[in-house]
Amino acid sequence: MRHVVTPCISLPLGFLLLQIGLPLAWPEAAGGVAYLAMVVAPLLTGLATAWRGRREPQAAARTGWWLVTASLLVWTVGGFGNLWHEWVLGLANEMYRGAMLAFHLAAVPLTFLLASSWQPAGQHWVRGIDALLALALGFGYFLITWHVLTVHGAQDQPGVHTMMWLFDAQNLFIVLGALVRWCAAEEADERTLFGVLLVHALLYMGVAGWNNHFIAGDPAYGPEYGAVVTVAFALLASLALRPPQAELALPQPPAVLVRSVHAAGPLVVPGALLVVSLFLIRVDYAWGTAGVVSAVLGYALRSVVLQVSQIARGEALQREHTALRSLAWTDALTGVGNRRFLDHALAGAWWREQRGTPSVAAVLMMDIDHFKLLNDELGHERGDECLRQVAQALQRALVRPGDILARYGGEEFIALLQEVDADGASVVAERLRAAVQALQLPHPASPQQVVTISIGLACAPLHAASDSARLIRAADQALFQAKRAGRNRVQHHAMKGGPAA
């Protein structure tokens, strides 16, 4: 652990000692060094976080570190604005609109990061809306801050103090957001990123608050005191450069906390924008109204896009479920239904009877005549091809949409005819027998020299779930009788008052 903690402390400590030592060794350049440090420090830290992002194997972690990089680069622009105005132009102790806007917008990538889900797969439009809302929030907060500072025309001391408290509120928002996300992080790289951000935000809030309330604006203190805030950037750079294997393993967060963060995340940015815009209306009606409208419409549009995405995902899952169910209910060799599919169809016929809809069913048990001899004479490949062609012929002969065909096992097929009487079932059975014989598939071991089938038929109402099994047994008995009678024929099993035992 010692080799991990040492670089995390030494880099910011060395940076602090350098800022103290240079003004002492070179007093006349203290101001320039301080302003330069407030540009170089966040810029170098941004390079460190960008480098860390490139090293991350997961896309979510890369995006998170690059959002931190974007925040640092925008902050660098604000630091350069201060350097240009105060050191180059010599306009000391004044607030600059451009630099202040940059400091406010530096919070936008962090706000977006804190409010976004860690694994936003397929949510590009939603994330785009969130990014625009976060940008509107940062700009609206800047407008309030700038109005407070210039409410009396020129910048005055009460306005400066109020502005400082607004900066504190913004920094506290980042700290609390990072704390919540760190506590609710489920993955190691997610916990690492928000842990690093939390440490940086805490130090930055403390140093910036000390500078804003006690150092800035006081002629007794030079810019070198305010430049101490760069230590927070040095610490962030040090943590970003830390080896990944040194991360501490922490227990998984409570499920209720994780669910709460996921549920509240989408409300954070539009909710904050709405609150800020309501305050902004009091000082700038046009921009405040635009902010309120953006918050409401942005959240509504976000909800619609997310709902459309969820509906599309649900439909895709339903299609996958249907396809998987079709595979589970289909015989792989012949392409017709299997035993599981037959059981489902029989259960459906019985349930219709229970709902008061009369359900008279007929079962046709079919067997290819002398199939074992065909396999022995022509081989199993020809036998499989025979099964496929017979199944296709049977399927084509079942012309009613509600009729079901399934492979019962081996060379046996079974057909379930619903809402049909015995005479109608006999007609269908004869059509099936003739359809197979019409194929004229060679069968050297058959008396007809072509493939034929025998069919056993049973027909009765389904009064109970057990009637399905009895109906199948009756059809099987009829099939046995058809074979004994010489094959290539239809045999009807008479059932009085219901399926026979």
Side-chain angles (χ1 to χ4, degrees):
M1 180 62 68
R2 183 177 179 182
H3 71 281
V4 175
V5 176
T6 301
C8 295
I9 297 177
S10 60
L11 183 59
L13 184 60
F15 201 85
L16 178 62
L17 293 175
L18 182 64
Q19 290 194 72
I20 295 174
L22 280 177
L24 292 177
W26 194 10
E28 61 275 13
V33 170
Y35 288 124
L36 190 61
M38 285 190 285
V39 174
V40 174
L43 181 60
L44 293 179
T45 305
L47 295 177
T49 55
W51 176 81
R52 176 60 182 266
R54 289 193 60 185
R55 294 180 61 203
E56 292 291 342
Q58 300 297 328
R62 285 197 300 271
T63 302
W65 283 104
W66 288 342
L67 285 171
V68 175
T69 301
S71 173
L72 292 167
L73 294 180
V74 177
W75 204 99
T76 302
V77 174
F80 181 80
N82 281 342
L83 180 150
W84 181 261
H85 285 87
E86 298 193 17
W87 190 35
V88 177
L89 301 182
L91 303 175
N93 297 322
E94 292 187 18
M95 301 296 174
Y96 317 110
R97 187 181 181 94
M100 184 178 293
L101 175 61
F103 290 139
H104 278 85
L105 294 183
V108 169
L110 300 182
T111 303
F112 174 73
L113 172 62
L114 296 174
S116 299
S117 59
W118 184 247
Q119 296 287 358
Q123 296 184 11
H124 303 298
W125 284 102
V126 172
R127 286 173 67 82
I129 295 172
D130 288 344
L132 291 176
L133 291 176
L135 182 61
L137 173 61
F139 184 70
Y141 202 77
F142 158 74
L143 292 178
I144 291 180
T145 305
W146 186 256
H147 175 82
V148 166
L149 182 64
T150 60
V151 64
H152 301 297
Q155 300 175 8
D156 56 9
Q157 199 62 26
V160 171
H161 282 300
T162 304
M163 179 196 69
M164 298 307 177
W165 285 111
L166 289 174
F167 272 120
D168 292 340
Q170 185 183 57
N171 293 332
L172 180 61
F173 179 83
I174 301 297
V175 168
L176 293 178
L179 176 62
V180 171
R181 291 302 302 268
W182 178 72
C183 292
E186 297 181 278
E187 301 181 19
D189 50 3
E190 178 186 9
R191 187 171 299 168
T192 297
L193 173 60
F194 288 113
V196 169
L197 182 59
L198 174 60
V199 172
H200 164 71
L202 276 170
L203 181 59
Y204 180 87
M205 182 178 68
V207 176
W210 170 75
N211 174 72
N212 292 340
H213 291 283
F214 302 105
I215 302 300
D218 190 336
Y221 300 100
E224 61 272 17
Y225 289 91
V228 176
V229 73
T230 57
V231 175
F233 296 118
L235 177 61
L236 175 57
S238 178
L239 294 173
L241 297 173
R242 184 174 59 170
Q245 62 269 21
E247 312 297 350
L248 295 177
L250 296 177
Q252 286 297 309
V256 63
L257 176 61
V258 175
R259 288 193 293 265
S260 299
V261 170
H262 288 172
L267 298 173
V268 171
V269 175
L273 176 58
L274 183 61
V275 172
V276 168
S277 299
L278 291 175
F279 280 100
L280 183 59
I281 282 180
R282 302 174 59 185
V283 298
D284 192 322
Y285 184 81
W287 280 112
T289 302
V292 171
V293 172
S294 298
V296 174
L297 292 183
Y299 183 74
L301 181 59
R302 184 190 194 281
S303 301
V304 169
V305 172
L306 191 59
Q307 184 69 18
V308 170
S309 175
Q310 290 174 345
I311 291 174
R313 187 159 52 248
E315 291 176 347
L317 290 175
Q318 182 61 38
R319 287 193 296 269
E320 291 179 6
H321 174 73
T322 301
L324 290 174
R325 186 175 62 181
S326 178
L327 288 175
W329 286 356
T330 302
D331 178 65
L333 176 62
T334 62
V336 300
N338 55 19
R339 288 282 291 272
R340 187 182 293 109
F341 177 65
L342 175 65
D343 293 339
H344 175 77
L346 288 169
W350 178 74
W351 274 110
R352 280 189 291 276
E353 171 72 19
Q354 300 307 300
R355 291 198 302 268
T357 303
S359 181
V360 180
V363 169
L364 280 60
M365 185 72 76
M366 296 166 281
D367 184 84
I368 299 178
D369 297 328
H370 304 294
F371 184 74
K372 183 178 183 304
L373 296 177
L374 183 145
N375 267 335
D376 293 341
E377 289 282 342
L378 303 179
H380 289 283
E381 289 186 4
R382 293 286 297 273
D384 290 346
E385 181 61 26
C386 173
L387 288 172
R388 282 191 287 266
Q389 294 196 39
V390 168
Q392 293 171 9
L394 294 173
Q395 189 70 71
R396 288 193 299 267
L398 289 174
V399 295
R400 297 195 314 165
D403 294 341
I404 302 299
L405 176 68
R407 186 183 179 193
Y408 198 65
E411 69 272 21
E412 287 188 329
F413 294 88
I414 191 169
L416 173 63
L417 313 180
Q418 301 182 50
E419 305 303 328
V420 65
D421 57 17
D423 292 337
S426 298
V427 172
V428 174
E430 180 59 32
R431 185 167 66 240
L432 295 176
R433 187 204 63 79
V436 172
Q437 187 169 359
L439 291 174
Q440 294 293 299
L441 298 176
H443 191 335
S446 172
Q448 287 80 17
Q449 296 296 300
V450 294
V451 172
T452 60
I453 61 173
S454 299
I455 302 177
L457 184 156
C459 180
L462 297 179
H463 296 298
S466 59
D467 287 347
S468 299
R470 294 176 181 174
L471 193 60
I472 291 176
R473 284 200 300 269
D476 192 51
Q477 292 174 13
L479 174 62
F480 178 74
Q481 295 170 7
K483 287 179 174 292
R484 291 187 61 181
R487 293 184 170 86
N488 190 25
R489 67 187 63 235
V490 176
Q491 184 69 40
H492 180 251
H493 187 285
M495 305 183 68
K496 298 179 181 180

